[in-house]
Amino acid sequence: MPLIALAKADPKTVAEFSIKQIVGIAGDGNLKDSSECSVELRQYLMTIPSQRIGIYIDQCLSESFDKSGQVLQDLVNEFGRRLDYEVENGFYGGRVNAIGNDGLWLGPDGHSIVVEVKTTDAYRISLDVIATYRDKLIESGKITARSSILVVVGRQDTGDLEAQVRGSKHAWDLRLISADALAKLVALKEDSDELETIKKIRGILIPIEYTRVDALVDVVFTTAKDIEADDRKMLPAVNGSSESSDLLQVETVDKGHVAEKRGRILDVIARKFDSVLLKKTRATYWSTDHSIRFVCTISKRYEKGSDYWYAFHPSWHDFLKEGVAGYFVLGCSDLQRAFAIPLSELERLLPKFSTTTTKGETYWHILLNETSQKTIQLMIPHQKPVSLEQFAIAL
C-alpha cells in the first residue's frame, strides 16, 4: 500500500515507523530527484506534526543510512514551510546548468532565503559556491537582492564552520543554524499567536549586525511576553458591556488542560472533515492545502456574568477569510462538546458584539451561556441569544 494511503488508513502504525522505513515504503523506495518516492515522501511530510519532523531529523543524524542526507534536506525544507515561507525544494544532487541550492524559502515579507543543508561541518564547504547560488537566483529573477543565505547544519558542533564564515567575505549575507535550533524556532512560532512575534522569529534567520544586541533582546522579550500573555484579556462582567469599569481580568487557566482539550477537539474535527490538520500557531490550524481553516480557543466556566468567554482577534478573522472554508471553534473546559461556528455565520454577527481596544488592537467579545436545558447559547447584546446546538461537535 502506498505511503499516503497507509498513513491515512493506519496513522498510528505509520507514526511509529522510523524515517528510514518511511522512505522505504514511499513510492518505489528509490529516493532521487522527481521520483515517485520523492514526491510521496514530501507529500507525507506536509501532513505530519512538526514534532515528528524533529524526531526524523534526529534519526537521520544518529542512524545514518543510504540517502539520509537527502532526506535531511527535505525535512529542513518542511520546517521552512512551518515558518510560513513558500518553499521550493532543491535538487538532491548537482545537475548541469541547474542552480544547486538545497532549498529556496520565499518569505511573506519579501525577503528570500537560499538554503544549504549539511549533515556535519566535518568537511569544509565552499562558501563561494553557495554565494554563487544566490547570485544566479538573483540573475534569473527568482529572487531579489533582498535575500540571504542560511546554512543548516545537522549537528550542533559547528565551530569550524562558524570560523570559516566569520573569516569570509560572505559573513554579512549568511546565517548558520543547527537543525535542533531550527526545530526550537518552529516550536516557538507554533506556540505564539501574535503576528509581530512570528515575524521577529523569522527575523532571527536573516543576517544582522549584532555588535549592539538590542534587536536580539527584542526578539526574546517579545516572544516571552507573547507566550506568557496566553490570552489574558479583559472579561466583561456584564453581558454586552465593554466599559472599563465593568471589566474583570481573566485568570490564566491550566495550560496543560487547555492543550489536552484543544487536542481532543482537533482530533474530532479532523475526522469529521476527513482532513489532516496542521498547527500554524497556538490557536490556528489548517488542512495541508490550507483551504480549510480553524481557530480553536478554550474557555473555563465563569461564575460571574456569562458562563464562557472568548476573544476573537482580527488576525484570526483574516486567517479564516483567506481559506475556502473557515470555522471559529469554541471549546468549553468542563463540557464534552465543542462548537464549530462557520465564518459566514460569525461575520453576520460580528457588528453586534461588544469590543475592547487594547494596545492598538480591537477584538470582539464572544459570550456563551448554558440554559437550564443544558443547551449552549451565543449571547448577543440587546438581542435574543442564538442557539449554537446546530454547530455542536461531540467529543
Side-chain angles (χ1 to χ4, degrees):
M1 181 182 293
L3 172 60
I4 302 303
L6 180 60
K8 186 173 183 179
D10 193 357
K12 290 185 178 180
T13 296
V14 174
E16 295 176 355
F17 289 168
S18 69
I19 187 59
K20 180 179 179 180
Q21 291 172 309
I22 292 294
V23 174
I25 61 174
D28 59 2
N30 184 15
L31 187 63
K32 57 184 180 181
D33 289 319
S34 303
S35 66
E36 182 183 351
C37 177
S38 172
V39 171
E40 196 163 27
L41 173 65
R42 290 172 179 175
Q43 185 179 350
Y44 167 73
L45 295 180
M46 293 175 66
T47 69
I48 62 176
S50 298
Q51 295 93 325
R52 201 181 308 166
I53 295 173
I55 292 172
Y56 289 159
I57 286 177
D58 287 342
Q59 291 174 355
C60 283
L61 298 174
S62 61
E63 306 165 15
S64 180
F65 55 91
D66 184 39
K67 301 298 179 81
S68 59
Q70 289 91 329
V71 177
L72 179 65
Q73 182 176 314
D74 281 344
L75 293 167
V76 167
N77 278 323
E78 184 57 35
F79 266 159
R81 292 187 181 91
R82 304 304 167 96
L83 289 170
D84 293 342
Y85 288 97
E86 181 182 336
V87 175
E88 293 184 15
N89 291 77
F91 294 114
Y92 293 127
R95 284 192 175 186
V96 177
N97 298 323
I99 303 174
N101 55 296
D102 291 338
L104 179 60
W105 298 1
L106 308 176
D109 60 352
H111 187 98
S112 302
I113 296 180
V114 180
V115 176
E116 181 75 9
V117 181
K118 296 295 180 184
T119 304
T120 176
D121 74 337
Y123 307 99
R124 289 183 65 85
I125 63 176
S126 174
L127 299 182
D128 288 339
V129 170
I130 299 174
T132 299
Y133 298 157
R134 175 174 175 255
D135 293 338
K136 289 182 178 179
L137 287 166
I138 293 174
E139 291 172 6
S140 69
K142 296 203 69 171
I143 63 174
T144 68
R146 193 181 172 200
S147 56
S148 57
I149 301 165
L150 179 68
V151 178
V152 183
V153 181
R155 297 184 176 87
Q156 292 186 350
D157 184 11
T158 60
D160 289 346
L161 184 54
E162 290 174 49
Q164 186 181 346
V165 171
R166 280 195 296 268
S168 79
K169 62 183 179 181
H170 307 296
W172 295 107
D173 297 319
L174 189 148
R175 284 291 241 178
L176 176 68
I177 190 171
S178 70
D180 181 61
L182 184 61
K184 290 176 181 176
L185 276 186
V186 172
L188 201 59
K189 180 258 184 185
E190 291 181 348
D191 280 338
S192 172
D193 261 328
E194 298 293 335
L195 296 180
E196 186 61 25
T197 302
I198 295 170
K199 180 180 178 180
K200 290 180 177 179
I201 288 172
R202 283 195 297 268
I204 293 176
L205 302 177
I206 299 173
I208 189 170
E209 198 276 315
Y210 274 137
T211 300
R212 179 171 175 172
V213 298
D214 291 40
L216 185 57
V217 171
D218 191 37
V219 173
V220 175
F221 179 80
T222 303
T223 305
K225 293 297 289 184
D226 173 26
I227 295 175
E228 177 187 338
D230 221 8
D231 289 333
R232 290 177 64 89
K233 302 294 184 183
M234 300 305 293
L235 168 66
V238 180
N239 290 348
S241 172
S242 60
E243 299 298 325
S244 59
S245 60
D246 291 322
L247 295 175
L248 300 174
Q249 183 71 37
V250 177
E251 315 92 53
T252 300
V253 296
D254 180 78
K255 291 183 180 180
H257 175 70
V258 169
E260 188 274 336
K261 190 79 171 186
R262 183 179 279 132
R264 281 201 290 140
I265 291 171
L266 292 166
D267 284 344
V268 172
I269 286 177
R271 291 196 297 272
K272 179 179 176 65
F273 286 83
D274 191 26
S275 177
V276 173
L277 298 184
L278 295 178
K279 184 178 184 181
K280 176 175 170 61
T281 67
R282 183 172 58 215
T284 60
Y285 296 76
W286 50 15
S287 58
T288 54
D289 64 359
H290 300 177
S291 62
I292 308 176
R293 303 182 177 207
F294 301 88
V295 171
C296 183
T297 183
I298 315 296
S299 171
K300 62 173 285 185
R301 184 186 288 268
Y302 291 94
E303 297 180 358
K304 188 173 183 179
S306 298
D307 291 327
Y308 305 96
W309 173 89
Y310 310 82
F312 184 61
H313 302 285
S315 60
W316 291 353
H317 188 204
D318 292 341
F319 169 74
L320 294 177
K321 282 197 305 183
E322 291 170 0
V324 175
Y327 298 85
F328 187 41
V329 184
L330 306 178
C332 306
S333 63
D334 60 337
L335 297 184
Q336 296 306 308
R337 290 184 299 159
F339 303 89
I341 307 174
L343 179 61
S344 57
E345 181 68 17
L346 186 64
E347 286 183 322
R348 183 178 66 82
L349 299 171
L350 280 181
K352 303 176 182 180
F353 293 139
S354 299
T355 61
T356 290
T357 300
T358 178
K359 297 182 180 179
E361 180 198 55
T362 299
Y363 59 88
W364 294 272
H365 296 283
I366 310 298
L367 309 175
L368 306 185
N369 271 346
E370 186 176 37
T371 69
S372 57
Q373 289 77 36
K374 302 300 182 182
T375 60
I376 297 297
Q377 294 181 328
L378 177 63
M379 309 306 294
I380 311 295
H382 314 300
Q383 293 189 22
K384 291 180 60 177
V386 175
S387 173
L388 291 184
E389 292 305 313
Q390 62 181 312
F391 307 125
I393 297 175
L395 304 181

